[in-house]
Amino acid sequence: MKIFILALVLHMTRAQYDPHMKHGRTSIVHLFEWRWADIAEECERYLAPNGFGGVQISPPTESIVLSNPWRPWWERYQPISYNLCSRSGSEQELRDMVTRCNNVGVNIYVDVVINHMCGASGGEGKHSSCGTYFNAHKPDFPSVPYSSWDFNNDKCKTSSGNIESYHDIFQVRDCRLVSLLDLNLQKDYVRGKVAEYMNTLIDMGVAGFRVDACKHMWPGDLKAVYSQLHSLNTTWFHSNSQPFIYQEVIDLGGEPITASEYTGLGQVTEFKYSAKLGTVIRKMYGEKMAYLRNWGEGWGFMSSDKALVFVDNHDNQRGHGAGGSSVITFWDPRIYKMAMGFMLAHPYGVTRVMSSFRWDRHIVDGKDQNDWMGPPSYSNGSTKPVPINPDTTCGDGWVCEHRWRQIRNMVIFRNVVNTQPFSHWWDNGSNQVAFGRGNHGFIVFNNDDWPLDMTLNTALPGGTYCDIISGQKEGNHCTGKQVTVGSDGQAHFRINNMDEDPFIAIHVDSKL
Ligand SMILES: *[C@@H]1O[C@H](CO)[C@@H](O)[C@H](O)[C@H]1NC(C)=O
Ligand SMILES: *[C@@H]1O[C@H](CO)[C@@H](O)[C@H](O)[C@H]1NC(C)=O
Ligand SMILES: *[C@@H]1O[C@H](CO)[C@@H](O)[C@H](O)[C@H]1NC(C)=O
């Protein structure tokens, strides 16, 4: 009996760290600003067949509609009610998407904005995604309803009412983040409204949440909200499954608020991972891939079982948030694929793949003047659908990094080697490195300015393997390079530094 209770307690406390992915799948893709109808199609036609475990969707609530600048992507981070009609579609379309993705074993994780409502200068009227009235001056959001006493106005001690110093933890939690009206989550009423919103999504069938701006909320308040959440819908999940929660906390060090204050509540986004991997692959500040031997906790990151990791996210790919010039994005495709290859091969953390839209980048003195630009849209402001080209790439400005062969095949690699240990590290003291995942997979990188020509121990069973970076196994054929592994596990690798993609990856399912 004691053992049973202990097991139960362990299960309950561990639960919010489990992404509940199906069929041994391991990665989340962020389909940034995609319409619900397109995500439903993508789950069925692409994500499930290619082993993606889940989708992070853009905030689904009603938000403000802004015209200056015109329809920026960040308008969706300014809710004006918890009605489920947004730039991505209606509540009916959202429900249809959740059902269809769940039915093919792809989970939905919802980006929830619960720290604040719209900006203080958001005005009064019905300029919202479903035409609901609100008044940012008072403030008054009758559709929730929230009124002036549901906000933190009195608690904030800065003269502007905004966060002025990140070194004062009270300002960071009780004042307005870039003027966004700060909800008072100390109030049971506000906690209840937020939990009600999240429970509506849970009942619909979502598997969890990316919680926006957690640094700006007190951990105790978040705990009180999370404790009111329902278990996941048993149509698709085991009974008593708790929602997977990953919290956005930007902690690059140097501030009094740290990610560790939040790891007891759920998973946390590890921003150091994105910033540091960028400096290594770009070879900034004397960094080398050889130093990645102890990547993970050895680099001062949070423990692997608490970390949600990414090469770039929707903020830092356009200079928002943190990470700066080291962050690698689709704008630098060659090193982006290498960074993604490293992340997806390495066992640290739960991996999230970014899927972006292109915008008219215009960098002046290191700052992108167009960092606000929203998704591909018609002149009436509606988001364009994602058209799929005959060669499987996306059109109309949708980048679809998750469909790039090298990235998609590495998502599959991660599933194949899941639970296998990090092993058989090799490096040349510079930027040529290799490692395995037990006896299930092996990857070799050449980020030096000269060729790599080495025999390495892959620990894989003897045979001929198809490299999943330059091509892939199709039937019994390989469309890319082939690697011969001897019965002793040794294989010879040649990677020219001028190759389109200077890395090679093989795994047990790519054996010919
Ligand atoms: C779970 O999802 C099913 C299918 O959509 C739905 O019929 C049921 O009401 C949901 N359960 C809860 C508790 O909302
Ligand atoms: C916006 O324009 C597109 C393309 O013409 C059209 O399909 C869509 O229905 C319009 N949306 C609204 C809300 O008028
Ligand atoms: C690795 O780089 C070093 C320089 O750091 C170089 O001397 C060596 O030849 C390289 N090794 C291989 C296998 O290319």
Side-chain angles (χ1 to χ4, degrees):
M1 189 61 186
K2 258 186 197 155
I3 289 171
F4 173 74
I5 291 169
L6 183 68
L8 195 68
V9 167
L10 277 176
H11 177 75
M12 308 256 298
T13 54
R14 295 275 327 135
Q16 69 271 37
Y17 304 98
D18 182 349
H20 307 292
M21 287 186 204
K22 308 277 170 56
H23 314 300
R25 298 174 188 171
T26 52
S27 292
I28 298 171
V29 56
H30 181 194
L31 297 179
F32 180 46
E33 288 279 9
W34 280 45
R35 297 156 66 250
W36 309 148
D38 292 327
I39 295 176
E41 294 277 324
E42 191 71 349
C43 283
E44 294 167 347
R45 73 188 163 201
Y46 199 85
L47 301 178
N50 288 294
F52 286 82
V55 181
Q56 178 182 315
I57 65 169
S58 284
T61 65
E62 180 166 30
S63 71
I64 196 168
V65 167
L66 296 169
S67 47
N68 185 24
W70 194 71
R71 310 302 307 270
W73 61 267
W74 38 257
E75 70 179 25
R76 297 187 68 175
Y77 288 86
Q78 299 195 31
I80 69 103
S81 82
Y82 298 135
N83 299 327
L84 297 171
C85 46
S86 64
R87 214 175 174 183
S88 289
S90 65
E91 174 167 349
Q92 192 45 48
E93 289 166 317
L94 178 71
R95 283 184 186 278
D96 179 62
M97 173 196 75
V98 171
T99 299
R100 287 166 62 189
C101 291
N102 275 333
N103 285 347
V104 293
V106 179
N107 292 346
I108 298 293
Y109 305 98
V110 181
D111 192 350
V112 289
V113 182
I114 60 175
N115 172 62
H116 56 259
M117 299 299 276
C118 69
S121 58
E124 176 191 5
K126 294 182 174 176
H127 47 297
S128 54
S129 52
C130 0
T132 297
Y133 171 86
F134 67 98
N135 185 342
H137 303 303
K138 276 189 163 180
D140 187 23
F141 298 90
S143 185
V144 179
Y146 286 140
S147 50
S148 56
W149 49 82
D150 298 318
F151 292 84
N152 268 334
N153 305 333
D154 297 338
K155 266 192 261 167
C156 171
K157 302 288 182 255
T158 65
S159 54
S160 63
N162 296 330
I163 299 167
E164 294 172 1
S165 167
Y166 275 76
H167 291 280
D168 176 349
I169 65 167
F170 295 94
Q171 282 187 34
V172 176
R173 267 74 175 253
D174 294 339
C175 295
R176 294 171 181 170
L177 165 64
V178 293
S179 99
L180 298 162
L181 296 167
D182 205 52
L183 285 167
N184 183 356
L185 281 161
Q186 229 118 55
K187 287 187 66 174
D188 281 339
Y189 175 75
V190 176
R191 293 172 176 177
K193 282 293 165 189
V194 167
E196 187 182 297
Y197 159 48
M198 293 171 77
N199 280 333
T200 301
L201 294 165
I202 290 172
D203 292 349
M204 209 182 269
V206 311
F209 303 97
R210 178 257 185 198
V211 185
D212 183 63
C214 287
K215 192 199 277 186
H216 305 283
M217 294 180 275
W218 294 97
D221 292 348
L222 286 172
K223 188 174 182 184
V225 170
Y226 300 162
S227 72
Q228 296 181 46
L229 297 181
H230 295 173
S231 302
L232 300 185
N233 189 314
T234 52
T235 304
W236 296 289
F237 302 95
H238 297 298
S239 54
N240 293 319
S241 298
Q242 299 307 298
F244 179 56
I245 290 177
Y246 55 107
Q247 307 165 100
E248 185 212 17
V249 180
I250 302 176
D251 173 10
L252 292 174
E255 287 177 25
I257 298 175
T258 62
S260 63
E261 292 176 54
Y262 296 85
T263 48
L265 303 173
Q267 209 99 355
V268 177
T269 52
E270 180 50 280
F271 276 79
K272 290 172 187 161
Y273 191 108
S274 166
K276 291 289 181 189
L277 189 57
T279 62
V280 174
I281 305 287
R282 288 185 188 278
K283 300 187 257 191
M284 296 165 79
Y285 318 122
E287 295 285 11
K288 307 170 176 181
M289 286 190 84
Y291 298 157
L292 297 173
R293 175 190 281 268
N294 66 340
W295 184 243
E297 292 89 345
W299 278 60
F301 303 165
M302 64 187 75
S303 75
S304 173
D305 61 342
K306 301 289 160 59
L308 188 293
V309 299
F310 46 96
V311 172
D312 62 329
N313 78 350
H314 71 280
D315 278 316
N316 69 15
Q317 71 170 194
R318 46 179 49 70
H320 278 239
S325 57
S326 75
V327 174
I328 307 178
T329 71
F330 69 87
W331 296 107
D332 294 307
R334 191 168 186 261
I335 52 173
Y336 190 65
K337 288 177 279 183
M338 252 197 285
M340 290 294 291
F342 186 87
M343 175 182 83
L344 290 164
H346 195 281
Y348 182 88
V350 172
T351 44
R352 180 178 61 194
V353 174
M354 182 68 204
S355 189
S356 317
F357 57 80
R358 258 171 233 288
W359 71 97
D360 196 3
R361 220 164 46 144
H362 180 51
I363 297 173
V364 177
D365 294 334
K367 177 159 181 359
D368 181 1
Q369 305 301 303
N370 288 338
D371 60 358
W372 55 271
M373 281 190 169
S377 52
Y378 298 112
S379 55
N380 64 10
S382 296
T383 301
K384 284 186 178 174
V386 180
I388 307 299
N389 300 320
D391 67 357
T392 79
T393 61
C394 301
D396 267 354
W398 300 97
V399 183
C400 290
E401 295 93 316
H402 69 287
R403 281 175 168 256
W404 296 3
R405 180 191 65 240
Q406 300 85 342
I407 294 175
R408 176 240 297 143
N409 286 349
M410 285 306 301
V411 166
I412 296 169
F413 178 107
R414 189 176 192 78
N415 296 344
V416 173
V417 304
N418 190 21
T419 75
Q420 293 287 314
F422 176 75
S423 62
H424 302 92
W425 175 268
W426 169 83
D427 68 70
N428 73 336
S430 184
N431 292 289
Q432 299 181 354
V433 305
F435 63 93
R437 292 292 302 277
N439 57 5
H440 278 50
F442 198 74
I443 190 163
V444 189
F445 295 88
N446 180 10
N447 198 26
D448 271 331
D449 298 328
W450 55 87
L452 176 151
D453 191 341
M454 272 303 288
T455 297
L456 298 169
N457 180 14
T458 68
L460 293 178
T464 305
Y465 291 77
C466 185
D467 168 33
I468 59 162
I469 303 303
S470 55
Q472 63 205 357
K473 182 178 155 186
E474 279 171 15
N476 290 324
H477 301 278
C478 176
T479 60
K481 297 175 187 169
Q482 295 189 17
V483 177
T484 308
V485 176
S487 55
D488 58 356
Q490 303 275 325
H492 193 82
F493 293 92
R494 271 198 200 89
I495 306 178
N496 193 302
N497 53 301
M498 305 299 278
D499 281 356
E500 184 188 343
D501 295 308
F503 64 115
I504 289 178
I506 55 177
H507 58 67
V508 286
D509 287 356
S510 80
K511 191 163 183 274
L512 294 171

